[in-house]
Amino acid sequence: MPDIPLPFDRGEYAGRLAKVRAAMDAAEVDVLFCCDPSNMAWLTGYDGWSFYVHQGVLVGPEGDPIFWGRGMDANGALRTCYMAPGDIVGYADDLVMSNAAHPMQDLARLLRDRGWGKKRLGVEMENYYYSARAHAVLSAEHDGPLADATALVNWQRAVKSEAELSFMRRAARIVGEMHRCIRETMRPGLRKNELVAEIIRTGIMGSEDTDGPFGGDYPAIVPLLPTGLDATAAHLTWDDKPLQPGAGTFFEIAGCYRRYHAPLCRTVYLGTPPADMLAAEEAVLEGIDKGIDAARAGNTAGDVARAFYSVLERRGISREGRCGYPIGLSYPPDWGERTFSIRPSDETVLQPNMTFHFMPGLWMENWGLEITETLRVTETGPAECLADVPRNLVILD
Amino acid sequence: MPDIPLPFDRGEYAGRLAKVRAAMDAAEVDVLFCCDPSNMAWLTGYDGWSFYVHQGVLVGPEGDPIFWGRGMDANGALRTCYMAPGDIVGYADDLVMSNAAHPMQDLARLLRDRGWGKKRLGVEMENYYYSARAHAVLSAEHDGPLADATALVNWQRAVKSEAELSFMRRAARIVGEMHRCIRETMRPGLRKNELVAEIIRTGIMGSEDTDGPFGGDYPAIVPLLPTGLDATAAHLTWDDKPLQPGAGTFFEIAGCYRRYHAPLCRTVYLGTPPADMLAAEEAVLEGIDKGIDAARAGNTAGDVARAFYSVLERRGISREGRCGYPIGLSYPPDWGERTFSIRPSDETVLQPNMTFHFMPGLWMENWGLEITETLRVTETGPAECLADVPRNLVILD
């Protein structure tokens, strides 16, 4: 057994594999191919920025998972996964971004080699790293049927272990440091890129807890921090212009520790905020309290959304859509887990140690306001906020 | 016409659109749907971290391109694209990560609305942001045929304009600052995450040229900097352990200015490097010189690879596969342009102002060595190195 410094102990990986096999049985999937890097890491420990080429983890009816990827990334799997070298399989570099051949031909060959050539193969149809062409080639090359197993593994990740929660608590400490950096650094005239440089630096420097200092990892999304009218849009990044007084800026950022995320958004106004933004702040703060109170084991995701929206409606603010999503282990381009959503129509029942980003951002006609929390569902009572950051609109004169 | 501070002038965007329409004609594509964020930005100016949901740009037979995306990201398109609001189309938030409906149903409706319901529609089959399920839904909903138009736009991006080159020269200055930061900061005992924090901070702080200071953007890949045995793998990121003497670390990083990249790798050894690494350094340095000399307009990508490999072979070092790829505008997860490759089998003819990352990294049994350059093909003579960073193995005692 390779001597690899894994993020979690072998027992935890064995438990994850058993949960996935039970879900495969329920879905009548014989062999699962997952290429979502978060699912790959959660199952095997694999960690590398190699998801821009085709790769994945195979879970068969028995034995360890199999890492399959580009030859040079199989070297990375040998350094980060718990499986024996015989279950780490590399393909030739000729197949990378080639028009002559496709890596999925190699994957089909591996499936045949393992005696799984005619098995019912689950694939992640809705995933960034499973392209339409990959599916077309694999469908043609695999002798058995293919089944859509999108989010099969993601759902097994919803309830976090104590070890995972300890990583997320570290991520939450990191995002607290990042927001402190914003409050201490932001001022009119500072170029926005300079502010971003300090925020990211702070996140990667990390923080400390009773076990000592720890470093930060890269979040799956870069800081989003639009100002003024740009904050009417949700996902703009930054430029190198000086910050101007008389405008609000929201900060959509996350702390990250060993790929586990704690997103947390706050909004800063340089100058005197308009009355409608202050009224919205009051509504959102009340709505967040109501949402946290509704985020109890046994309640549904929809209950949380309805609790929040009822406050907004009463105060005459119109908003619709998602206001949250599960989080934990992730890789770019999204830190969400892509299973349920916090929205009125979602009747997923909350369980203890589910974690989600409660994200009731407002993108209005002339400004944006984001105040959010990363929550853990507890055994009894309202959800726990993993981070400890003052929630109010920060006003810097 | 909206008053948007575009990265390039309207004439440049018009020229790009004309090139794409000519390529569409040649490929017998009536309407093109591109969801590669780099292609979207190159065609319209759109810039936002929203590619984790379905979105894209439509190019029809006439008129401006159409931005199509999530409602809140249509707001971002209004802030970053040159098109009139009528050509910026948002879909309902209910469609985001829903099991009940798919955004591609909305796209098919938009195609019908524009009178393109039965047109031959080009799609990017091999792209991170065009999932197997997206293709299945769009195939079922669109009344006309679908054609694979992977890389159709990417190929139009291969030869850079003077304005694009000025962005890449700024990116190259930034990567020079980042490597200076490494040489000045790295020392035994420093935790690796602390080094990463300073490298990224430096990249986003930016640099300056004769026009004054400019800020850095986020590169499409985070720093890769494996040490010792980890450097036998190509794509590992970092941890929070102190750097140890007696090992080599390569730095695969890029400067980025307004989404344009200049990747550049160097290797640092803390202590006294082993003889075989020094021999490999000598071979790689000679091979790079030979490759740069071969990277002339009229020669092929394969000529560059063969020039490099001939040196390695003569010196008894075995390596195979790609040793470079075109670069420029990009978004995560890859800074490559995904058209041709610098490898012996690739007979793409080099043209003036093509830019590529000449990347002859060595990942050996016990260590890794990466020394690379970002090159521009010139009108006559060998390629130009955009950055100015000493190429030797950096030895810190």
Side-chain angles (χ1 to χ4, degrees):
Chain A
M1 193 175 303
D3 180 27
I4 296 296
L6 291 163
F8 301 98
D9 68 38
R10 289 294 302 266
E12 182 149 347
Y13 287 104
R16 295 173 180 184
L17 189 58
K19 281 171 73 173
V20 167
R21 286 219 167 96
M24 287 166 61
D25 284 349
E28 297 181 347
V29 164
D30 300 322
V31 177
L32 177 68
F33 174 66
C34 49
C35 56
D36 182 322
S38 314
N39 293 338
M40 293 171 63
W42 186 77
L43 276 167
T44 70
Y46 182 70
D47 184 27
W49 189 294
S50 54
F51 34 83
Y52 69 92
V53 294
H54 289 291
Q55 60 176 21
V57 163
L58 283 173
V59 178
E62 66 281 317
D64 279 344
I66 300 165
F67 173 93
W68 169 84
R70 185 181 183 180
M72 61 173 73
D73 299 319
N75 287 346
L78 288 169
R79 305 290 302 161
T80 59
C81 298
Y82 66 80
M83 298 87 78
D87 286 330
I88 291 173
V89 181
Y91 62 77
D93 217 58
D94 295 350
L95 295 177
V96 174
M97 298 183 194
S98 159
N99 294 316
H102 197 282
M104 288 296 148
Q105 297 171 309
D106 188 85
L107 181 67
R109 205 154 36 229
L110 173 60
L111 286 161
R112 284 193 295 274
D113 287 351
R114 297 279 170 152
W116 300 333
K118 295 184 175 170
K119 295 290 187 190
R120 190 171 151 90
L121 178 66
V123 294
E124 295 171 318
M125 293 286 288
E126 187 66 280
N127 196 278
Y128 312 108
Y129 301 108
Y130 190 69
S131 68
R133 188 184 286 170
H135 185 62
V137 174
L138 189 57
S139 297
E141 298 274 335
H142 182 62
D143 296 325
L146 269 63
D148 188 359
T150 301
L152 184 148
V153 178
N154 305 56
W155 275 106
Q156 312 317 312
R157 290 161 40 202
V159 174
K160 304 299 182 288
S161 71
E162 287 304 322
E164 288 179 298
L165 288 170
S166 74
F167 282 21
M168 292 181 70
R169 289 184 200 285
R170 287 186 159 194
R173 279 185 185 256
I174 290 174
V175 82
E177 304 283 358
M178 295 164 80
H179 280 289
R180 176 157 46 177
C181 166
I182 292 166
R183 292 194 303 272
E184 292 175 357
T185 310
M186 191 170 174
R187 61 175 188 276
L190 186 71
R191 292 184 301 148
K192 192 176 269 187
N193 66 295
E194 295 175 318
L195 180 59
V196 173
E198 300 305 339
I199 296 169
I200 296 182
R201 177 183 181 280
T202 300
I204 295 176
M205 289 299 284
S207 182
E208 59 183 338
D209 59 18
T210 50
D211 292 327
F214 51 84
D217 205 345
Y218 61 92
I221 303 178
V222 297
L224 307 175
L225 61 165
T227 298
L229 276 173
D230 282 346
T232 63
H235 298 120
L236 302 185
T237 52
W238 64 84
D239 57 22
D240 56 7
K241 303 287 183 294
L243 292 161
Q244 302 294 334
T249 301
F250 67 71
F251 292 84
E252 185 163 343
I253 57 177
C256 185
Y257 178 74
R258 299 189 82 171
R259 310 300 329 125
Y260 280 79
H261 290 70
L264 193 108
C265 312
R266 292 291 181 265
T267 304
V268 180
Y269 202 96
L270 294 180
T272 306
D276 59 346
M277 189 187 274
L278 291 171
E281 179 203 9
E282 211 177 284
V284 167
L285 292 178
E286 186 190 337
I288 288 176
D289 281 337
K290 290 279 192 291
I292 291 174
D293 192 65
R296 290 165 185 258
N299 280 0
T300 65
D303 289 332
V304 179
R306 281 186 291 272
F308 174 77
Y309 278 121
S310 69
V311 175
L312 252 61
E313 206 169 306
R314 181 157 46 75
R315 289 173 176 261
I317 295 173
S318 104
R319 183 203 196 274
E320 53 185 23
R322 300 211 304 172
C323 54
Y325 44 80
I327 43 129
L329 174 65
S330 204
Y331 284 85
D334 186 16
W335 57 44
E337 256 172 21
R338 296 187 300 286
T339 48
F340 63 92
S341 292
I342 306 294
R343 58 181 154 203
S345 61
D346 194 315
E347 293 308 318
T348 304
V349 176
L350 300 178
Q351 298 172 53
N353 292 340
M354 280 184 167
T355 48
F356 64 92
H357 184 206
F358 183 30
M359 207 300 179
L362 294 183
W363 304 281
M364 309 303 274
E365 185 81 21
N366 294 310
W367 46 259
L369 179 75
E370 291 191 357
I371 300 174
T372 76
E373 291 288 348
T374 279
L375 301 180
R376 177 182 78 87
V377 179
T378 62
E379 290 288 339
T380 54
E384 174 196 356
C385 295
L386 291 189
D388 179 18
V389 179
R391 233 174 256 165
N392 57 289
L393 176 64
V394 179
I395 299 171
L396 299 176
D397 281 317
Chain B
M1 193 174 303
D3 179 27
I4 296 295
L6 293 163
F8 301 97
D9 67 39
R10 290 293 304 264
E12 182 149 347
Y13 287 104
R16 295 174 181 184
L17 189 58
K19 282 170 73 173
V20 167
R21 286 218 168 97
M24 287 167 61
D25 284 349
E28 296 180 349
V29 164
D30 300 321
V31 177
L32 178 67
F33 173 66
C34 48
C35 56
D36 182 322
S38 314
N39 293 338
M40 293 171 63
W42 187 76
L43 277 166
T44 70
Y46 182 69
D47 183 27
W49 190 292
S50 54
F51 36 83
Y52 70 93
V53 294
H54 289 291
Q55 61 175 20
V57 163
L58 283 173
V59 178
E62 66 281 317
D64 278 345
I66 299 166
F67 174 93
W68 168 84
R70 187 181 183 180
M72 61 174 72
D73 298 320
N75 287 347
L78 289 170
R79 306 290 302 161
T80 58
C81 298
Y82 66 79
M83 298 87 76
D87 285 330
I88 291 174
V89 181
Y91 61 78
D93 217 57
D94 295 350
L95 294 177
V96 174
M97 297 182 195
S98 159
N99 293 317
H102 197 282
M104 288 296 148
Q105 297 171 309
D106 187 85
L107 181 67
R109 204 154 37 228
L110 173 60
L111 286 161
R112 284 193 295 272
D113 287 351
R114 297 280 170 153
W116 299 335
K118 295 184 175 168
K119 295 289 187 189
R120 190 170 151 90
L121 177 66
V123 294
E124 295 172 317
M125 293 284 290
E126 187 66 280
N127 196 278
Y128 312 110
Y129 301 108
Y130 190 69
S131 68
R133 188 184 287 169
H135 184 62
V137 174
L138 188 57
S139 298
E141 298 275 333
H142 182 63
D143 297 324
L146 268 64
D148 188 0
T150 301
L152 184 148
V153 178
N154 305 56
W155 275 106
Q156 312 318 312
R157 291 161 40 202
V159 174
K160 304 298 182 289
S161 71
E162 287 304 322
E164 288 179 297
L165 287 170
S166 75
F167 282 21
M168 293 182 70
R169 289 184 201 286
R170 288 187 156 190
R173 280 185 185 255
I174 290 174
V175 82
E177 305 282 358
M178 295 165 81
H179 279 290
R180 176 157 48 176
C181 167
I182 292 166
R183 293 193 303 272
E184 292 176 355
T185 309
M186 191 170 174
R187 60 175 189 275
L190 185 72
R191 292 184 302 149
K192 192 175 269 187
N193 65 295
E194 295 174 317
L195 180 58
V196 173
E198 300 306 337
I199 296 169
I200 296 181
R201 177 182 181 280
T202 301
I204 296 175
M205 289 299 284
S207 183
E208 58 183 338
D209 58 17
T210 50
D211 292 326
F214 51 85
D217 204 345
Y218 62 92
I221 303 179
V222 297
L224 307 174
L225 61 165
T227 298
L229 276 173
D230 282 347
T232 64
H235 297 120
L236 302 184
T237 52
W238 64 84
D239 58 21
D240 56 8
K241 304 286 182 296
L243 292 161
Q244 302 294 335
T249 301
F250 67 71
F251 292 84
E252 184 163 344
I253 57 177
C256 186
Y257 178 74
R258 300 190 83 171
R259 308 303 328 128
Y260 279 79
H261 290 71
L264 194 108
C265 311
R266 291 292 181 265
T267 303
V268 180
Y269 201 96
L270 295 180
T272 307
D276 59 347
M277 188 187 275
L278 292 170
E281 179 205 9
E282 213 177 284
V284 167
L285 292 177
E286 187 190 337
I288 289 176
D289 281 336
K290 290 280 191 293
I292 291 174
D293 191 65
R296 290 164 186 258
N299 281 0
T300 67
D303 289 332
V304 179
R306 280 186 291 273
F308 174 76
Y309 278 121
S310 69
V311 174
L312 251 60
E313 205 169 306
R314 181 157 46 74
R315 290 173 176 260
I317 296 174
S318 104
R319 183 200 196 275
E320 53 185 23
R322 299 212 303 171
C323 54
Y325 43 80
I327 43 130
L329 174 65
S330 204
Y331 284 85
D334 186 17
W335 57 44
E337 257 172 20
R338 295 187 303 285
T339 47
F340 64 92
S341 292
I342 306 294
R343 59 181 154 204
S345 61
D346 194 315
E347 294 306 317
T348 304
V349 177
L350 300 177
Q351 297 172 53
N353 293 341
M354 280 185 168
T355 49
F356 65 91
H357 185 205
F358 183 29
M359 206 301 179
L362 293 183
W363 304 281
M364 309 304 274
E365 183 81 21
N366 295 309
W367 45 261
L369 179 76
E370 290 191 357
I371 300 173
T372 77
E373 291 288 346
T374 280
L375 301 181
R376 176 181 78 87
V377 179
T378 61
E379 291 288 339
T380 56
E384 175 197 354
C385 295
L386 291 189
D388 179 17
V389 178
R391 230 174 258 165
N392 57 288
L393 175 66
V394 180
I395 299 170
L396 299 176
D397 281 318

